[in-house]
């Protein structure tokens, strides 16, 4: 869902400040990231710009069954979005602490981030080990 992190999770506001009803999804499906630029940011094609923020962000004290149902409905919207991958990467890089972004809940994004950190540490360790082996042989 498009929303700057500095605003309340109950109000959906696109990052460019445009009206949420203005954007339409691309008729040609997903547009590769490399073809996007400042004149056509990824969020301009987001399907969620037409949907209600309540679908993507939890109201306070939401019962578990209602939360799970709402999150699944939000994920269905994300699944048909032409910029789902870009949205997900945005939420992971920010990181966005609330809501469904790119088809992932906040808890799912925390898992992805933990896996990425672990993978990066393992790669760093492997690189150091290889460098140490080369230095010792040299």
């Amino acid at each position: 869902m498009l929303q700057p992190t500095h605003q309340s999770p109950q109000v959906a506001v696109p990052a460019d400040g445009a009206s949420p009803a203005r954007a339409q999804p691309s008729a040609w499906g997903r547009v590769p990231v490399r073809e996007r630029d400042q004149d056509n940011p990824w969020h301009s094609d987001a399907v969620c710009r037409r949907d209600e923020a309540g679908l993507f962000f939890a109201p306070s004290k939401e019962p578990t069954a209602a939360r799970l149902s709402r999150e699944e409905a939000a994920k269905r919207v994300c699944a048909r979005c032409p910029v789902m991958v870009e949205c997900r990467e945005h939420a992971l890089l920010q990181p966005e602490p609330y809501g469904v972004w790119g088809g992932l809940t906040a808890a799912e994004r925390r898992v992805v981030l933990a896996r990425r950190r672990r993978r990066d540490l393992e790669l760093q360790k492997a690189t150091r080990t290889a460098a140490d082996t080369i230095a010792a042989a040299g």
Side-chain angles (χ1 to χ4, degrees):
M1 180 67 205
L2 300 174
Q3 175 175 9
T5 57
H6 63 276
Q7 293 190 359
S8 168
Q10 288 77 23
V11 180
V13 178
D16 65 358
S19 167
R22 186 181 66 148
Q24 296 296 320
S26 170
W28 301 100
R30 291 188 190 274
V31 176
V33 175
R34 66 185 174 280
E35 292 181 18
R36 295 184 183 281
D37 56 26
Q38 295 298 342
D39 295 333
N40 185 23
W42 67 266
H43 49 79
S44 65
D45 290 331
V47 172
C48 63
R49 291 182 68 151
R50 296 184 314 239
D51 290 311
E52 190 175 315
L55 185 61
F56 296 89
F57 294 93
S60 61
K61 299 180 183 178
E62 182 179 32
T64 302
R67 177 182 55 83
L68 294 173
S69 176
R70 179 188 49 74
E71 288 174 346
E72 285 304 313
K75 288 178 178 186
R76 285 192 297 274
V77 171
C78 292
R80 69 177 200 267
C81 184
V83 293
M84 183 181 74
V85 173
E86 292 92 338
C87 179
R88 180 178 295 175
E89 284 305 310
H90 162 82
L92 291 167
L93 292 172
Q94 285 305 309
E96 292 290 349
Y98 305 106
V100 175
W101 289 75
L104 296 177
T105 64
E108 292 166 335
R109 290 192 303 275
R110 285 190 296 273
V111 169
V112 169
L113 288 171
R115 286 179 181 160
R116 284 184 179 183
R117 281 190 296 272
R118 196 171 346 161
R119 182 196 66 209
D120 290 346
L121 288 172
E122 289 171 0
L123 287 172
Q124 287 174 0
K125 183 179 176 183
T127 301
R128 279 190 302 250
T129 303
D132 292 345
T133 303
I134 291 170

